Amino acid sequence: MPDNHLRNIRALLENAKEFKVSRKVDTYEYESLEKMILDDQIRYSEILELFTDSIYREWFYKRNFDDNRPMKITKYSELWY
């Protein structure tokens, strides 16, 4: 998965904390939505809406970002070598 996509998802996750809950995610949807988000099959506006549900947001964070490894940030010029 492209690092840029993961950075965008993480930014949406962090920003969603500031918004009022606009959609509750049912537990049976968690894994299928996670796959769709990671596979870039959902628009960012909808991802932001999903992440307003703090329980889903925490679940997603723990499964995808909570492994104490720093995010890999590359300069665009390094990608072209």
Side-chain angles (χ1 to χ4, degrees), residues 66-79:
D66 194 22
D67 57 2
N68 294 322
R69 60 184 169 155
M71 291 188 71
K72 181 180 177 186
I73 300 174
T74 59
K75 293 181 181 178
Y76 69 93
S77 60
E78 293 174 337
L79 300 174

Side-chain angles (χ1 to χ4, degrees), residues 1 6 14 16 20 30 33 37 45 57 78:
M1 173 178 350
L6 275 179
E14 293 297 326
K20 190 175 177 181
Y30 279 20
L33 286 172
I37 289 169
S45 60
R57 183 176 62 239
E78 293 174 337

Side-chain angles (χ1 to χ4, degrees), residues 35-50:
K35 181 172 178 14
M36 291 172 69
I37 289 169
L38 295 175
D39 289 343
D40 199 12
Q41 296 176 345
I42 299 180
R43 287 183 281 176
Y44 286 149
S45 60
E46 187 174 346
I47 294 171
L48 182 62
E49 185 177 309
L50 292 168

